Amino acid sequence: MTLKPARTLWRDFPPVVIHSPEIAVKRHPDYRAAKSGDVQAAFSLVKATIAEPAVLKIRELVAGRQVILASAHAVERDGVNAIPEALADELSARLSLPVDEGLVQINIVGHTGANGFARLARPAAFDGEVISGASYFLVDDFVGQGGTLANLKGHIESNGGVVIGATVLAGKPFSAVLSPTREQLTALREKHGQTLETWWHERFGYGFDCLTQSEARYLERSPDADTIRSRLIEEE
């Protein structure tokens, strides 16, 4: 049965702050070990690829508010990905912000190297106590379609917190904007019809308004609604 992680509307969510190009991070000699849970390798990777302009951008977004850094604690097939927590700890030291260590991913999704349908079909789900009324800033190692960030944001906000932004160590620039445009959503609905969105809501627990921009783009470019449904079922 498909998990239904909570998602919330994007409103005026700012673009994800990206520190380094994907290729620079993945070619670092400590990347694979860090991805598999080696804490020292993760800190070595983060210190080599964190970017001061990105840190300054986060400082601007935080703007003196009391903000908690929330890392994804992503579970990979080879272990718990150590990169998000290492990045959160490094940002904590540079920005004097606390890190929430209680928010954890509770399933293995196998997103690394997966296609778009696999990422959509196997959503990351989170658990952990949220401080009601507190502001959070999300931290992850990579942004692709943005679903993991969307689901972590949804968990926090559905439990009373407020997410003001997100940062990742690596990603492509076009993945930084998470909120889909009105034009994208209109094109998606016109191409695939209301029946698909109704099915989507029943299966995943949210409508197209809560998709990321990359997810909406991926679905809009898919041939038809039947292809989307069958591919998602195949990839579960």
Side-chain angles (χ1 to χ4, degrees), residues 6-30:
R7 284 208 184 181
T8 50
L9 295 175
W10 292 105
R11 299 185 176 86
D12 56 351
F13 199 80
V16 177
V17 179
I18 299 174
H19 289 264
S20 293
E22 181 182 358
I23 191 170
V25 172
K26 289 188 173 180
R27 284 186 174 178
H28 190 278
D30 287 319

Side-chain angles (χ1 to χ4, degrees), residues 72-200:
H73 288 279
V75 182
E76 305 288 342
R77 296 190 185 280
D78 296 326
V80 177
N81 182 356
I83 301 171
E85 188 171 4
L87 178 56
D89 287 344
E90 182 67 20
L91 290 172
S92 174
R94 295 190 183 207
L95 298 171
S96 299
L97 297 173
V99 178
D100 187 308
E101 298 180 351
L103 295 171
V104 296
Q105 185 177 318
I106 59 174
N107 60 336
I108 299 175
V109 295
H111 283 179
T112 301
N115 63 49
F117 284 115
R119 290 173 178 270
L120 288 164
R122 302 193 294 269
F126 293 91
D127 197 7
E129 185 176 352
V130 174
I131 300 174
S132 182
S135 295
Y136 290 80
F137 203 94
L138 308 183
V139 183
D140 203 356
D141 66 325
F142 175 75
V143 61
Q145 283 190 327
T148 297
L149 290 173
N151 293 346
L152 180 53
K153 172 179 177 288
H155 172 72
I156 292 171
E157 293 190 334
S158 65
N159 285 282
V162 178
V163 178
I164 67 167
T167 186
V168 295
L169 194 60
K172 296 180 175 64
F174 63 78
S175 296
V177 179
L178 296 180
S179 178
T181 65
R182 185 177 302 172
E183 291 76 17
Q184 279 183 308
L185 293 175
T186 297
L188 175 59
R189 287 167 172 143
E190 288 181 349
K191 181 171 183 179
H192 298 308
Q194 181 60 46
T195 302
L196 179 64
E197 186 165 9
T198 299
W199 179 87
W200 191 277

Side-chain angles (χ1 to χ4, degrees), residues 22-60:
E22 181 182 358
I23 191 170
V25 172
K26 289 188 173 180
R27 284 186 174 178
H28 190 278
D30 287 319
Y31 172 74
R32 289 187 180 277
K35 192 80 169 175
S36 299
D38 187 318
V39 174
Q40 292 305 315
F43 276 107
S44 174
L45 172 66
V46 166
K47 287 182 180 297
T49 53
I50 194 172
E52 187 59 27
V55 176
L56 292 175
K57 181 62 179 177
I58 296 169
R59 190 187 299 275
E60 291 176 8

